[in-house]
Amino acid sequence: MNNVDSLNPATEPVSDLLSDAGLRALAAGTLMPGFTGTTMPDWIGSALDAGLGSVCIYGTNLTSPGQLADLMGRLRAASPTVLLTLDEEGGDVTRLHYLTGSNQPGNAVLGRINDPATTAASAAAIADELAALGFNLNLAPDADVNSTPENPVIGVRSFGADAALVAEHTAAWVTGLQDAGVAACAKHFPGHGDTATDSHLALPTIDVDVETLRDRELVPFAAAIAAGVASIMTSHIMVPALDADNPATFSRAILGELLRGALGFEGAIITDALDMAGACAITGIEVAAVRALAAGADLLCLGSETSAERYDGILDAIVAAVRAGDLPLERLCDAARRTAELAGAYQPAAPAGTGKAPDSATITAAFEVSDAARTWLADPALPALVQVGSEANMAVGHVPWGAAAVGADTDLDAVDRYAKIALVGRGLDAGHPVWQLADSLRADGRRVVVVECGWPRGGADLVTFGASLTVSAALAGLLDPRRATRESAPGTSA
């Protein structure tokens, strides 16, 4: 348990605060490591005893629902008040349902449904699941305006391309989650939607003027703040109009002058994972941690593969930075205090039971269906759904998606000669193999539609705006109505 209050520079001698134990306790209160494996490592237990601020769970920590419940029980028993955290956006980015796909449609579908009450109910349903397991902080929602269709890392994680719509649904999602007892975190400040570069792999640049940022990127974050969002996550991006020298995570101008000053945010500032290339590729994660704290971040996400050695190295770097005068003691105390206040405001609670996912008909109505797809759907021929391999970004990971997630896909070699074919993919850019395959099948006289399960980039006949389990089930029911009939018949299963 983090005894930050006993390490207040206003009440304690500086000599006590600058002791190894004092500084390490303060530093630990600002850190959020993940870990490898499916059981709680001994070093995590020791870190919790020494004041660790948060632990983040990733999809790679799961093998089954029962195993996750056991892991969470052990973590919560080790620290009744620590922030237990994950990225549960619903939709394509899921950790709770990493093995099967999410039971929620995700932001892009919710944006197209465009009913804030439905969005709030979806977030509340997520909160119910999180609270039942002991989580009290969710690194969601994504508040980015996806203004670049080719964006490789945001896409359907966004509520849409219109700033006002994204703002309305961001506020609804925050309210739904937090009213159900789990802290929200709007991300990725000051906006990651206008880039074609993935910050997991490189350092993107948002090269727009201040007026565009004010009228587009910042609008959803202002709405989240007005809704009382508990925390905001930084992005590892360059925004030259705001700071020509530092990525947002390391920018006093962006975190201090803009987020704290102009926007008036008083909650916790959380970094995106500092093991991402956009943060640490040049300096290493230890330097990145110090830079983020100095810029104004309060809680540092360290990534999914944090080891005991890396964790200790980061603690050592923070302590050394304070001793060298590179990180003011007051700033470290402030970061630890804000993190502790977040944990205090969102202590583990029982599920509220107020959440609900939209039904299949509502999800299907959000799809974009072209005239060609309507003609295909009206064709009485038997359908065959063929899933075409598509790479997911690192935020999504290896989660089942599309027709394959619901057992509705067919190998192309097994498709009947007279069947109509739906080629299902996602991230369908100009170089995706689905286009050549569709041309080849059409040249052979086959009746083919192309289905995009991601953000549309042009050319697809049907777009689902997501690939979660619940969206995939709705898609399969639309393309093959016989499947819905079979699943609803007594005594049958898919």
Side-chain angles (χ1 to χ4, degrees):
M1 185 174 178
N2 196 340
N3 295 315
V4 173
D5 290 341
S6 67
L7 294 167
N8 191 324
T11 59
E12 295 295 319
V14 172
S15 58
D16 290 346
L17 291 165
L18 289 177
S19 70
D20 284 345
L23 282 179
R24 288 180 76 85
L26 284 172
T30 70
L31 300 184
M32 180 200 293
F35 58 86
T36 59
T38 58
T39 58
M40 185 180 77
D42 291 342
W43 71 266
I44 287 285
S46 298
L48 288 169
D49 289 341
L52 178 60
S54 178
V55 178
C56 194
I57 297 297
Y58 293 84
T60 50
N61 298 128
L62 275 67
T63 58
S64 70
Q67 169 269 330
L68 176 60
D70 180 73
L71 171 61
M72 290 300 298
R74 293 177 185 276
L75 287 166
R76 184 52 74 200
S79 178
T81 59
V82 70
L83 289 165
L84 295 183
T85 309
L86 81 173
D87 289 276
E88 188 57 44
E89 298 177 14
D92 287 22
V93 175
T94 179
R95 305 297 180 244
L96 282 185
H97 302 286
Y98 193 79
L99 304 176
T100 59
S102 175
N103 56 8
Q104 297 295 327
N107 285 5
V109 172
L110 291 170
R112 286 182 61 80
I113 294 170
N114 199 17
D115 174 32
T118 297
T119 295
S122 178
I126 291 172
D128 287 342
E129 289 193 276
L130 298 183
L133 288 165
F135 289 101
N136 52 343
L137 170 61
N138 187 10
L139 302 178
D142 190 302
D144 299 307
V145 179
N146 198 64
S147 55
T148 297
E150 296 78 17
N151 193 313
V153 69
I154 303 302
V156 299
R157 301 169 67 190
S158 168
F159 288 110
D162 178 79
L165 180 143
V166 174
E168 183 176 28
H169 288 276
T170 295
W173 210 100
V174 166
T175 300
L177 189 84
Q178 294 190 166
D179 282 357
V182 176
C185 180
K187 60 188 183 185
H188 307 80
F189 188 82
H192 204 315
D194 188 17
T195 176
T197 302
D198 186 345
S199 54
H200 291 86
L201 307 174
L203 181 61
T205 296
I206 306 294
D207 196 8
V208 298
D209 57 33
V210 172
E211 290 73 21
T212 300
L213 290 167
R214 182 192 62 223
D215 296 340
R216 187 179 65 188
E217 271 73 15
L218 298 181
V219 173
F221 292 99
I225 293 169
V229 70
S231 62
I232 288 178
M233 178 180 283
T234 68
S235 57
H236 309 321
I237 59 171
M238 292 295 298
V239 189
L242 300 175
D243 187 331
D245 300 317
N246 300 290
T249 298
F250 309 129
S251 172
R252 290 183 176 90
I254 292 174
L255 302 188
E257 296 172 21
L258 177 59
L259 183 54
R260 291 284 188 217
L263 294 179
F265 180 61
E266 292 296 329
I269 298 176
I270 302 176
T271 70
D272 207 344
L274 292 178
D275 64 346
M276 294 165 58
C280 73
I282 296 175
T283 66
I285 194 169
E286 295 82 6
V287 172
V290 172
R291 290 179 69 195
L293 284 169
D298 304 309
L299 181 57
L300 312 184
C301 179
L302 305 183
S304 62
E305 298 184 355
T306 311
S307 63
E309 294 74 21
R310 174 175 285 183
Y311 177 76
D312 285 338
I314 293 168
L315 281 178
D316 290 342
I318 295 171
V319 170
V322 173
R323 294 194 187 283
D326 297 326
L327 176 63
L329 177 60
E330 292 79 7
R331 170 79 276 273
L332 180 60
C333 288
D334 179 58
R337 174 185 61 81
R338 290 181 189 272
T339 298
E341 287 176 351
L342 175 61
Y346 286 89
Q347 296 183 21
T354 58
K356 181 181 179 182
D359 60 28
S360 183
T362 302
I363 292 170
T364 301
F367 296 168
E368 183 177 273
V369 184
S370 69
D371 290 341
R374 295 185 191 281
T375 298
W376 188 95
L377 290 169
D379 189 324
L382 293 177
L385 282 56
V386 177
Q387 189 150 312
V388 183
S390 303
E391 291 292 327
N393 63 58
M394 292 179 68
V396 173
H398 302 289
V399 178
W401 65 278
V406 294
D409 62 321
T410 302
D411 289 339
L412 183 59
D413 292 341
V415 173
D416 184 86
R417 180 68 181 83
Y418 300 101
K420 58 181 182 179
I421 301 172
L423 299 178
V424 180
R426 65 177 173 183
L428 303 184
D429 57 24
H432 197 283
V434 73
W435 304 117
Q436 185 175 353
L437 179 57
D439 288 344
S440 175
L441 289 169
R442 286 165 179 156
D444 193 36
R446 313 299 287 270
R447 291 155 292 180
V448 176
V449 290
V450 174
V451 179
E452 167 67 89
C453 289
W455 191 274
R457 304 183 185 190
D461 302 297
L462 192 154
V463 183
T464 65
F465 293 88
S468 72
L469 183 64
T470 188
V471 172
S472 299
L475 172 65
L478 174 66
L479 297 179
D480 186 359
R482 300 171 306 152
R483 179 178 179 80
T485 301
R486 289 195 304 269
E487 291 177 349
S488 63
T492 63
S493 62

